[in-house]
Amino acid sequence: MNKGALIRKFNKQAAMYERNSRQRYIGRWRQRLLQDVSGQVLEIAVGAGANLPFYRRDKVELTAVDFSPEMLSRARQFAVELGIQATFLEHDIETLELPERSFDCVVSTLSLCGYEDPLEVLRRMNRWAKPGGRIYLLEHGISANRLVGFAQHLANPAARRISGCHLNRDILRIVKDSPLKVLRSERYWNGIVHLIWAQAT
C-alpha cells in the first residue's frame, strides 16, 4: 500500500482511534509500559493520543509525530483536555529529520507493524535519543503459539492490503537486531503482544 493511500485510510479511521484513546484501549499495558517516562519525550505515530492519559503531565515535555492530519487533530484536542504540554508534528516517521541525541525517552506503541523497514525506524529512534536514553515499545507480532502463528501468516497478505499492517513480524528479534539494548521484555496474548524497555546506545 502506498503512503498516500495509507494516510487516507488512517484519516478515515481517526474517529475510531479517538474512541479507543478515550476508552483507555489496552490501558493496563500502556500504563505498565509508560509509568517511568519523563523528561523530553518523543512519541512516534501518536495516532489519536491513546498514550496521553498515561503520561505524568508534570514530568513530561512531549513531541508527538504522526503522518495523519486527522489523527493529529484529535490527539491535539485530547492533550488540551488532559493538560499535557505537547508539540505536534505532521510527518512520515520514515523520512522525519530531528536533531540527534535530543530526547530522554522515545515511545512507540503499535506502529512497528506498519513500516516498510522497521529496523531503520529503530535506528532512527536510537539516533534521536540521548546516549543511555530509554526506548519504550508496545508492539504486536508473530505469536509464540505455532497454530496462532500459522494463522497470522495466512492472514498477513489480507492485513497488509486492508490496513498496511504486518501481522507476522518477529518484533523482539527485530529490536535485538537494532542498535538498541533490550533491558526487559514481556509477552502477552499467546506471545503476540510485546512490552519492551530498551536503551539507546
Side-chain angles (χ1 to χ4, degrees):
M1 184 180 298
N2 68 54
K3 196 58 64 73
L6 196 56
I7 291 171
R8 290 191 294 273
K9 185 175 292 291
F10 278 102
N11 282 342
K12 290 179 181 178
Q13 295 175 346
M16 179 191 69
Y17 276 75
E18 181 180 16
R19 286 194 299 272
N20 289 342
S21 297
R22 293 180 181 278
Q23 293 169 4
R24 309 297 198 264
Y25 174 64
I26 59 173
R28 175 172 58 92
W29 290 332
R30 295 182 193 275
Q31 184 173 40
R32 181 168 179 78
L33 180 72
L34 302 173
Q35 59 187 337
D36 296 327
V37 172
S38 63
Q40 295 284 342
V41 178
L42 172 66
E43 181 174 347
I44 68 169
V46 67
N51 291 324
L52 296 178
F54 305 101
Y55 291 130
R56 296 175 59 184
R57 61 185 179 184
D58 58 329
K59 298 288 187 180
V60 167
E61 294 180 42
L62 180 64
T63 299
V65 186
D66 203 283
F67 65 6
S68 164
E70 287 297 325
M71 291 285 194
L72 280 177
S73 176
R74 293 168 191 272
R76 188 178 289 109
Q77 179 58 39
F78 201 17
V80 170
E81 294 173 20
L82 294 169
I84 294 174
Q85 296 294 321
T87 299
F88 292 91
L89 304 176
E90 182 184 331
H91 212 289
D92 177 8
I93 298 301
E94 293 176 286
T95 60
L96 177 66
E97 296 295 334
L98 289 171
E100 296 186 5
R101 304 307 189 185
S102 296
F103 296 95
D104 300 296
C105 302
V106 181
V107 174
S108 167
T109 60
L110 306 179
S111 75
L112 290 180
C113 63
Y115 302 119
E116 287 300 315
D117 188 349
L119 188 55
E120 174 57 26
V121 173
L122 292 169
R123 293 188 190 106
R124 287 171 170 269
M125 292 185 201
N126 190 64
R127 292 198 301 270
W128 293 330
K130 296 175 182 177
R134 295 302 176 92
I135 313 294
Y136 298 85
L137 306 172
L138 189 166
E139 304 292 345
H140 70 84
I142 191 71
S143 174
N145 181 300
R146 288 186 178 183
L147 289 177
V148 176
F150 179 70
Q152 287 176 285
H153 283 302
L154 291 179
N156 195 62
R160 289 181 64 186
R161 286 194 305 272
I162 294 167
S163 66
C165 176
H166 296 257
L167 300 179
N168 59 352
R169 285 181 168 168
D170 186 341
I171 293 297
L172 190 56
R173 171 50 51 199
I174 291 170
V175 176
K176 287 182 175 179
D177 286 344
S178 80
L180 302 178
K181 177 183 178 182
V182 175
L183 302 176
R184 187 166 104 245
S185 66
E186 299 172 0
R187 297 182 74 171
Y188 300 94
W189 274 3
N190 281 315
I192 292 173
V193 175
H194 297 258
L195 273 65
I196 300 173
W197 293 261
Q199 188 176 48
T201 57

